[in-house]
Amino acid sequence: TTDAFRSSLEPILRKQTDNESMIREFLIKCHYVSGQYDAPDGFVQLKNLMEEHEALANKEDYNLYKNVRLFYLALPPTVFA
């Protein structure tokens, strides 16, 4: 879940900084989407989540972070040519 993902990141961030507002600001922008790499459902869910947050970013002042996408896909080595 997103909450579990954020909980796993938090101790790592705390080793880098004790700036509570910076940690909270970063974590609120971190999300977790689970899906299968060989089925479209997870990718559709990821697309919808990104679009939802981009719409929010257009309404609020996200400064440098506006319209920046960063995501990590955990794929097994067997799916690479």
Side-chain angles (χ1 to χ4, degrees):
T1 68
T2 293
D3 288 337
F5 179 60
R6 288 176 180 167
S7 293
S8 69
L9 290 175
E10 191 169 353
I12 298 164
L13 296 173
R14 292 196 182 285
K15 289 181 181 179
Q16 303 302 313
T17 183
D18 60 355
N19 185 324
E20 187 67 27
S21 64
M22 185 184 295
I23 291 170
R24 292 284 151 224
E25 183 180 335
F26 180 78
L27 287 175
I28 200 137
K29 294 176 182 173
C30 295
H31 300 273
Y32 178 82
V33 175
S34 179
Q36 299 298 314
Y37 65 87
D38 56 353
D41 297 345
F43 293 102
V44 170
Q45 188 178 3
L46 177 61
K47 174 186 166 284
N48 291 340
L49 180 67
M50 287 189 297
E51 288 176 349
E52 176 184 324
H53 285 277
E54 286 173 353
L56 179 64
N58 288 330
K59 292 178 184 174
E60 297 181 8
D61 181 18
Y62 274 88
N63 298 320
L64 179 62
Y65 304 106
K66 188 174 180 179
N67 297 321
V68 174
R69 289 180 174 182
L70 174 66
F71 55 93
Y72 169 74
L73 300 175
L75 300 172
T78 55
V79 300
F80 294 101

